[in-house]
Amino acid sequence: MLVTETPIEVRYQETDQMGVVYHANYLVWFEIGRTKFVEALGLNYHQGMEQQNVVSPVIDAHISYKNAVRYGEKPVVKTWLEAYDGLRTVYRYEILTETGDTAVTGTTTHTIVDKDTFRPLSIRRKFPDWHAAYQKQLGS
């Protein structure tokens, strides 16, 4: 199973007055990790979905904070596929501090929809290449 590791540079504007990364920014880092994971599978959101008028909204997100990440540090976002059923995709994340401690863990669940109508679509039918890549990751 593929696990990507995406380095992040903590920018000053991502921190609060204590110099700690503001909690909502970890969700942005999840997106950065997810994009790199998809690219590592040989897929591309923009060319693969968006140019066909399809988007992939987050329908659920879970996040657990373990240790602070501070301004000037260089954490890593580990990303992998946790679950996939042909309609929904669940990505799992672990953000590690530069010393290797777990800072944040979490998941995001996605579906795909028509950009204009927001009607749900089947990944299995609409994007068989994505379906095959996800199934391969889960050993299905």
Side-chain angles (χ1 to χ4, degrees):
M1 177 175 55
L2 175 68
V3 177
T4 58
E5 295 189 11
T6 307
I8 301 288
E9 278 193 46
V10 179
R11 298 171 297 176
Y12 181 76
Q13 68 268 26
E14 293 174 315
T15 63
D16 59 20
Q17 287 185 327
M18 298 175 288
V20 173
V21 172
Y22 179 70
H23 69 279
N25 286 314
Y26 294 110
L27 291 169
V28 174
W29 295 358
F30 284 5
E31 182 177 356
I32 292 168
R34 184 173 60 254
T35 299
K36 293 297 183 187
F37 175 81
V38 166
E39 289 172 357
L41 291 178
L43 305 169
N44 182 292
Y45 275 121
H46 181 66
Q47 293 172 343
M49 287 190 184
E50 292 174 354
Q51 287 183 343
Q52 295 188 47
N53 209 39
V54 174
V55 292
S56 180
V58 174
I59 59 172
D60 191 37
H62 293 269
I63 189 164
S64 180
Y65 304 96
K66 312 288 185 191
N67 288 293
V69 176
R70 299 179 187 284
Y71 175 66
E73 293 183 3
K74 292 184 169 69
V76 171
V77 180
K78 294 175 72 172
T79 309
W80 62 96
L81 188 65
E82 179 169 280
Y84 169 72
D85 66 6
L87 296 173
R88 286 171 298 282
T89 307
V90 180
Y91 301 93
R92 177 158 289 280
Y93 313 90
E94 181 179 24
I95 298 176
L96 302 174
T97 66
E98 59 188 22
T99 60
D101 294 323
T102 300
V104 173
T105 60
T107 61
T108 57
T109 303
H110 302 254
T111 189
I112 64 169
V113 298
D114 180 279
K115 186 176 180 180
D116 295 327
T117 65
F118 250 66
R119 296 189 86 200
L121 301 168
S122 165
I123 297 171
R124 182 182 304 128
R125 290 189 197 121
K126 183 77 176 172
F127 300 106
D129 53 336
W130 290 66
H131 175 72
Y134 287 167
Q135 287 211 304
K136 181 178 178 184
Q137 287 305 303
L138 296 174
S140 303

